[in-house]
Amino acid sequence: MRWDAQGIRWDLPLLLKILESLATIDLDLTVYIILDAMDESESEKLSQILHAMARLCAAKGRSIFRGLMTTRPLEKKWPKELNSFILTLEKKNENAINLMVDKNIQQIIDDIQQDDNSIELTAFDEIKQYIKTHADGVFLWVSMVIKEVYTLSEMGWTQSDLENLKTILPVDLKHIYKRMAARMIDNASSEIQLALGRKILACSAFSRRRLTLEEMGDAILVPALSESKNFEPNAAIFKNRIQRLSHRIAKVCGDLIEVKPPYVQLMHETVREFLLKREGESPFNFEDLRGKKDQASICLRYLRLSLSHSILDKAGIQHAHVTTWTDDDYGKVVRLLQDRPLLEYTISYLPQHLFEAKGEDIETEVLVCADELEGNSIFQFLVTKIWPPPADSCTAAQAFCDRALRVAAKTNFARPKPL
C-alpha cells in the first residue's frame, strides 16, 4: 500500500499491474528485482506476488527481467513456472546451524551443571540432535527453539516438556507462539499485567511502523476505544509513564516482542499472523478491524492530550494569538512538544489509521477531536504537510515552525533519554 498527502491509496493489484507494465516498454533494459523475507508478507497476497514475478520474468520483449526472492520453507506451493528456478539453501546452511546449536545448547548444559552436576542431561543432547535434523536451514526457527530450551532450563522442566519441543517443525511457528503466549498468561501476576502485555502487542501489531520506546511508553498510556468509550484529556495521565520500560516489556510480553533500542517490535511478522488467527480462547486473540479502530482512537486521543485547548491552557500557552507570541511563548510550545514523543507518529500516520478504521464509533471520536481542536493554530501549523491548507496558511505555518526551531536551538533543548 502507498499513501500520499491527499489520501490516495495504491493497493497491491495496482502496484503489481504497474510493475508488470514495465515489460511492455520498448527499451533495452536489464532490471533486477529482489524481494527478501517473502515468508513475512501477508499470506493471502503471497500467491499474487509470486505469480506476478513469474509472468514478468517470463515476458518476451526487449527488456530483460531477473527476480530473486528469499524465504524460509513455505506451506504453500510455488507457481509451477518457478519450480525449475528454486535454489534450496538448507544444505548450505547446515554447518552454520550445527555450530550455532552446539554452542548454545552446550552453554545451557554447562550453566545447569555449574548449579547442580548431578542432574541427568541426556535429554538435552537429544533436543540438540532434533534441532539439527529438522532445522531445514531456518535460522529463525532454530533460534526460537533454543530460546524455549533456555527458558525451560531457567524455570525447571519435566521430561514431557522436552518431549513436546520435539513436535515443533519449521514450517509452522504457531506452536512456539502458543507456548510463548501460554507462558505469558501463566507468569502474569495480575489482570493488569496481562492487559499491559496485550496492549503492547496490539500497538506493535497495528502501528504503521515500528514504535520507539518513548512512543510505545505513551501509546500504552492512552485508553483505546475498546478499553473506554469515553475519554477526557488530562495531563496527569503522564505521571503513569513506566520507567525502564524495556524491562517491563520483557516481563509482560516474553519473547513475542523484542526491544532493539530505540525500537520495540514483534519478534517476526508471523507473530502478527498468529495474533490475528484467533485460534482458541486467549487474551491475545486480536480482531483485525477492532485492532485498527483501537490504534486510530489512540492517535485521536493523543492529539487531544497534546493540543486540546484545555491542555494548552494548563501549560500557559496562548493558542489564540500566535502572531503576537514572544520567544517565551514559543519556548512553552517547544517544551510541550518535547514531552509528547508520540505526536510526530500520530500526525504522520493518523490519515492511514482513519482510512482503515471505519465505523460510527470512530466517526464520533473524530468529531470530538475536531471540536476540541477547532480554531487551534498550533494544530493547523503542525499538520500542514498532511492536510495542506491555502498557500498563505502554509507561509504562516513555515514561519511558526522556523521560529520554534530557533527557540529550541537557542535554549539548548535536548530530547530525553529513551525509557
Side-chain angles (χ1 to χ4, degrees), residues 27 134 174 194 232-233 292 304 320 325 343 378 386 414:
L27 292 173
H134 295 85
K174 70 179 180 182
L194 202 60
E232 291 297 329
K292 290 172 179 176
R304 295 165 61 196
W325 276 11
L343 188 58
I378 300 172
I386 299 176

Side-chain angles (χ1 to χ4, degrees), residues 306-307 311-319 325-340 378 400 404 407-408 411 413:
S306 303
L307 299 173
I311 294 293
L312 296 180
D313 288 340
K314 191 163 186 177
I317 297 171
Q318 304 175 35
H319 47 84
W325 276 11
T326 64
D327 281 1
D328 182 58
D329 294 311
Y330 277 95
K332 292 176 182 177
V333 172
V334 170
R335 280 190 288 274
L336 176 68
L337 297 181
Q338 285 287 86
D339 192 50
R340 300 293 190 272
I378 300 172
F400 171 86
V407 170
T411 53
F413 268 99

Side-chain angles (χ1 to χ4, degrees), residues 128-278:
K128 185 194 301 185
Q129 191 56 47
Y130 175 82
I131 297 173
K132 290 180 180 179
T133 303
H134 295 85
D136 283 342
V138 184
F139 281 96
L140 172 66
W141 178 83
V142 171
S143 65
M144 289 173 66
V145 176
I146 289 175
K147 277 186 180 180
E148 287 295 294
V149 176
Y150 175 78
T151 299
L152 287 175
S153 73
E154 290 290 295
M155 295 171 54
W157 69 92
T158 67
Q159 185 66 31
S160 294
D161 290 331
L162 297 179
E163 289 295 328
N164 286 337
L165 282 180
K166 291 193 270 185
T167 65
I168 303 170
L169 295 173
V171 293
D172 190 358
L173 298 174
K174 70 179 180 182
H175 294 302
I176 296 183
Y177 297 150
K178 282 183 178 179
R179 293 172 61 91
M180 293 177 176
R183 193 159 54 243
M184 288 169 61
I185 296 171
D186 292 341
N187 293 342
S189 59
S190 66
E191 287 296 322
I192 293 176
Q193 183 173 315
L194 202 60
L196 178 60
R198 175 183 169 84
K199 185 75 170 282
I200 293 169
L201 282 169
C203 288
S204 300
F206 292 100
S207 61
R208 301 299 304 178
R209 63 158 171 76
R210 294 182 299 173
L211 298 180
T212 66
L213 275 165
E214 286 182 278
E215 291 169 339
M216 180 64 78
D218 272 14
I220 59 179
L221 289 178
V222 183
L225 191 59
S226 64
E227 298 172 304
S228 176
K229 295 296 181 183
N230 301 307
F231 175 74
E232 291 297 329
N234 187 337
I237 197 174
F238 295 112
K239 292 181 180 179
N240 296 323
R241 281 175 172 153
I242 299 173
Q243 303 304 310
R244 301 187 79 192
L245 178 60
S246 58
H247 293 257
R248 185 72 66 89
I249 290 173
K251 183 175 180 61
V252 302
C253 294
D255 293 322
L256 290 177
I257 291 285
E258 59 182 5
V259 177
K260 292 186 174 181
Y263 296 107
V264 182
Q265 62 191 40
L266 298 175
M267 69 166 295
H268 194 260
E269 178 61 25
T270 51
V271 174
R272 186 178 190 277
E273 294 180 9
F274 166 73
L275 296 172
L276 289 171
K277 280 187 176 179
R278 300 169 60 81

